[in-house]
Amino acid sequence: MRNHQTEDIICAISSPPGVGAIALIRLSGAGSVNLVNQVFTKDIKAAKGYSVHFGNIMKQDQPLDEVVVTIFRNPHSFTGEESVEIACHGSVFIQQELLSLLMAHGSRMAEPGEFSKRAFYNGKMDLTQTEAIADLIHSESEGAHRLAMQQMKGGISKELGSLRDELIKFAALVELELDFAEEDIEFADRGELIALVKSVLLKVNKLRDSFQFGSAIKEGVNVAIVGKPNAGKSSWLNALSDDDVAIVSDIAGTTRDKIEVPLILAGTKFRFIDTAGLRETLDVIEGMGVERAKDVITKAEIVIYMFDIAEISQTYLDDAIKYVKNLNNTAEILLLANKVDTSTQSLGAYGHEYSHFANLYFVSAKDPESVEFVKKEIVRLFNQNKVSSNDIVVTNARHFEALRNASIDLEKSLQGLENQLSGDFVAMDIRQVIHHLGSITGEITQDNLLGHIFKNFCIGK
Ligand SMILES: Nc1nc2c(ncn2[C@@H]2O[C@H](COP(=O)(O)OP(=O)(O)OP(=O)(O)O)[C@@H](O)[C@H]2O)c(=O)[nH]1
Ligand SMILES: [Mg+2]
């Protein structure tokens, strides 16, 4: 797969669309330098890689633009192919003219992601790194950026690579045993194999489980704001986002739809979602809103359960927690007793009476200190589940799926080993696992396995 041949030269505008001071046009493929040479005033046919040339791009003997041309020689380029980058002036007219000139001389428009695809085929990076580039470009917060950078450096590939190596060794031993079946030799100690599969399973599950955190960082952490009508949910959405996004009124049942506001707190992207007040209602539209609110709870990482402090009681809080847990067992719950500014009771007494409720706070949407406090609390709640910063975090749904499948097949092979199934069954499951893990980075599987057998055992037939 890695010695993919590319015959054609692709080109594309690599800077953002529109007008800028400078735009960058990129070409890749064997012959790129000669192609540019035909429309450039300097002779760059024999130019060295990484050399930079200033000159004019000519269109039918007329200068089109003054440009800077950078040469990349195979394999020392992003794609691994001979490449040229032309920095021209950023007018849309110049960009388009230059592009059509390059196409008239034999290059074609690159497909989306084709430069990265070529980089992958030429072994410049594996699939996870290619995917990380897309993530990096689209990252909206410091957290998402950090994870994409980590993936681009090949963090997950290294981890998966070492797991695969262990399994390939394992499969090779079992396969070897099969070759010598008649002699009844056991090359692979079953106890050691079980220990190996168990340790790989642990690591695979850890990676798989990091996806919940990883996808939250990448897509935004969902924070549902729920509670009875009139509790002050919409007031809080407005206060948190410092904007008048939701309608606030003293009529119970004001909010019907869900209203979402993205907000970056401490480098992490959160999505605050205001919902319709939870109550039994005969109003069809409001009823639909309540259904939506339930759906928002199931998808949230953090649920803010908001209520009017006047309603507080032990059973009220117990019921609220039960209600949320019923819909979502893993979300963190933040209990906010709102409208403390209206309360005549001393807060100290409340705090004491309800001290056994975790994450219960007495707040007011009208108090900026309350708002700052809640923001900090949300960041804290999210971060407490965070894996340590050295841990590899899976952010990609495709990787998650492959890890999930790998975990299932690891369980199967473990059962096989424990039930003393014959080697070929176990080897089959392990090959599946190797396949799943390899599909993440885009490796070939069967060949590796064979290669390993021949390399390490020199059967030499
Ligand atoms: N005094 C006081 N009033 C508040 C506070 N928070 C909200 N309110 C008032 O409570 C009423 C209801 O507020 P909303 O934000 O619309 O409540 P909601 O929970 O979104 O209500 P629904 O959309 O009907 O479910 C409004 O009159 C708000 O001004 C607070 O902290 N203190
Ligand atoms: Mg509302």
Side-chain angles (χ1 to χ4, degrees):
M1 201 203 285
R2 285 280 157 102
N3 38 29
H4 171 83
Q5 296 289 323
T6 45
E7 274 128 32
D8 44 359
I9 301 172
I10 51 172
C11 65
I13 301 170
S14 294
S15 41
V19 184
I22 287 171
L24 192 75
I25 293 190
R26 178 147 76 160
L27 291 100
S28 184
S32 296
V33 175
N34 275 348
L35 190 154
V36 175
N37 193 58
Q38 294 172 46
V39 296
F40 194 45
T41 45
K42 295 261 171 71
D43 183 359
I44 49 170
K45 278 200 296 291
K48 288 210 172 71
Y50 300 141
S51 63
V52 178
H53 308 266
F54 175 73
N56 273 301
I57 293 283
M58 303 298 287
K59 186 186 177 187
Q60 291 155 1
D61 302 333
Q62 292 294 317
L64 175 66
D65 192 16
E66 273 186 343
V67 300
V68 173
V69 167
T70 312
I71 310 284
F72 299 87
R73 290 293 181 182
N74 160 7
H76 304 292
S77 71
F78 173 74
T79 56
E81 302 171 331
E82 179 181 320
S83 303
V84 179
E85 284 179 6
I86 305 172
C88 62
H89 288 101
S91 94
V92 174
F93 172 73
I94 291 177
Q95 296 179 42
Q96 292 304 334
E97 283 291 293
L98 184 45
L99 208 55
S100 52
L101 191 64
L102 294 172
M103 288 199 272
H105 281 81
S107 66
R108 70 162 169 83
M109 207 50 193
E111 288 158 19
E114 201 173 358
F115 288 95
S116 302
K117 198 156 99 191
R118 289 188 172 194
F120 166 65
Y121 279 128
N122 292 323
K124 280 277 158 178
M125 34 182 197
D126 68 28
L127 270 189
T128 66
Q129 290 169 308
T130 317
E131 286 163 323
I133 292 181
D135 288 348
L136 196 65
I137 293 170
H138 293 117
S139 56
E140 290 177 341
S141 68
E142 194 184 318
H145 176 259
R146 183 167 44 77
L147 291 185
M149 282 301 283
Q150 185 200 49
Q151 191 174 318
M152 202 155 84
K153 283 192 207 131
I156 185 166
S157 314
K158 259 185 236 134
E159 172 98 4
L160 291 174
S162 72
L163 294 182
R164 282 183 75 240
D165 283 350
E166 289 184 53
L167 292 174
I168 287 172
K169 220 184 293 166
F170 166 94
L173 280 173
V174 176
E175 304 249 313
L176 193 67
E177 227 171 75
L178 296 174
D179 279 356
F180 292 89
E182 283 133 50
E183 281 124 84
D184 202 22
I185 308 174
E186 204 175 82
F187 286 88
D189 176 72
R190 287 295 181 266
E192 273 175 36
L193 292 185
I194 289 178
L196 173 74
V197 172
K198 275 188 179 160
S199 92
V200 174
L201 180 64
L202 221 75
K203 289 177 194 157
V204 164
N205 284 352
K206 192 171 168 208
L207 279 175
R208 178 198 62 191
D209 295 341
S210 72
F211 179 66
Q212 201 185 1
F213 176 79
S215 73
I217 289 261
K218 189 165 135 190
E219 313 291 340
V221 182
N222 288 327
V223 184
I225 309 177
V226 302
K228 299 264 155 64
N230 255 349
K233 301 179 292 300
S234 301
S235 307
W236 267 90
L237 182 74
N238 292 347
L240 288 164
S241 59
D242 202 15
D243 199 357
D244 245 352
V245 277
I247 299 173
V248 165
S249 87
D250 57 3
I251 302 165
T254 302
T255 307
R256 265 89 187 290
D257 226 331
K258 52 179 190 185
I259 304 171
E260 191 177 310
V261 177
L263 207 60
I264 291 180
L265 302 177
T268 301
K269 182 176 170 189
F270 291 87
R271 296 170 192 278
F272 287 89
I273 308 158
D274 179 24
T275 59
L278 301 165
R279 67 169 172 185
E280 294 292 328
T281 173
L282 293 176
D283 182 304
V284 182
I285 305 292
E286 194 188 343
M288 286 160 93
V290 173
E291 285 311 308
R292 278 187 191 193
K294 288 187 189 165
D295 187 50
V296 169
I297 294 179
T298 61
K299 291 182 184 138
E301 274 81 33
I302 298 174
V303 176
I304 297 181
Y305 195 99
M306 178 97 39
F307 58 96
D308 191 320
I309 192 169
E311 292 201 67
I312 196 166
S313 76
Q314 306 277 345
T315 34
Y316 187 94
L317 292 179
D318 285 335
D319 288 350
I321 294 170
K322 226 182 281 162
Y323 186 88
V324 175
K325 287 221 151 122
N326 222 346
L327 292 163
N328 182 338
N329 207 11
T330 56
E332 298 289 339
I333 305 174
L334 188 59
L335 298 164
L336 295 186
N338 191 32
K339 311 192 189 183
V340 284
D341 54 300
T342 60
S343 168
T344 46
Q345 282 227 36
S346 107
L347 273 188
Y350 273 132
H352 188 67
E353 194 180 342
Y354 296 97
S355 61
H356 58 288
F357 286 98
N359 307 328
L360 165 66
Y361 300 105
F362 299 87
V363 295
S364 162
K366 299 185 190 284
D367 172 21
E369 264 179 48
S370 270
V371 177
E372 279 318 300
F373 173 79
V374 168
K375 282 184 186 172
K376 284 212 182 84
E377 189 55 19
I378 297 234
V379 172
R380 188 191 67 81
L381 278 178
F382 180 64
N383 282 339
Q384 73 181 9
N385 292 330
K386 189 160 99 181
V387 272
S388 95
S389 59
N390 294 326
D391 278 346
I392 288 162
V393 176
V394 173
T395 57
N396 183 301
R398 190 182 70 80
H399 303 174
F400 169 70
E401 203 44 42
L403 286 163
R404 215 171 55 88
N405 289 329
S407 172
I408 293 170
D409 285 327
L410 276 165
E411 293 275 7
K412 265 199 228 156
S413 52
L414 190 61
Q415 272 170 18
L417 282 170
E418 282 170 344
N419 296 331
Q420 290 167 353
L421 278 192
S422 89
D424 36 357
F425 286 114
V426 177
M428 219 150 70
D429 289 332
I430 287 297
R431 261 199 245 110
Q432 277 302 318
V433 178
I434 296 171
H435 171 81
H436 293 313
L437 297 184
S439 75
I440 297 178
T441 47
E443 299 287 336
I444 311 168
T445 51
Q446 284 303 317
D447 283 356
N448 278 3
L449 188 59
L450 295 173
H452 188 86
I453 293 179
F454 293 127
K455 190 176 103 221
N456 285 358
F457 298 97
C458 296
I459 292 174
K461 283 193 226 170

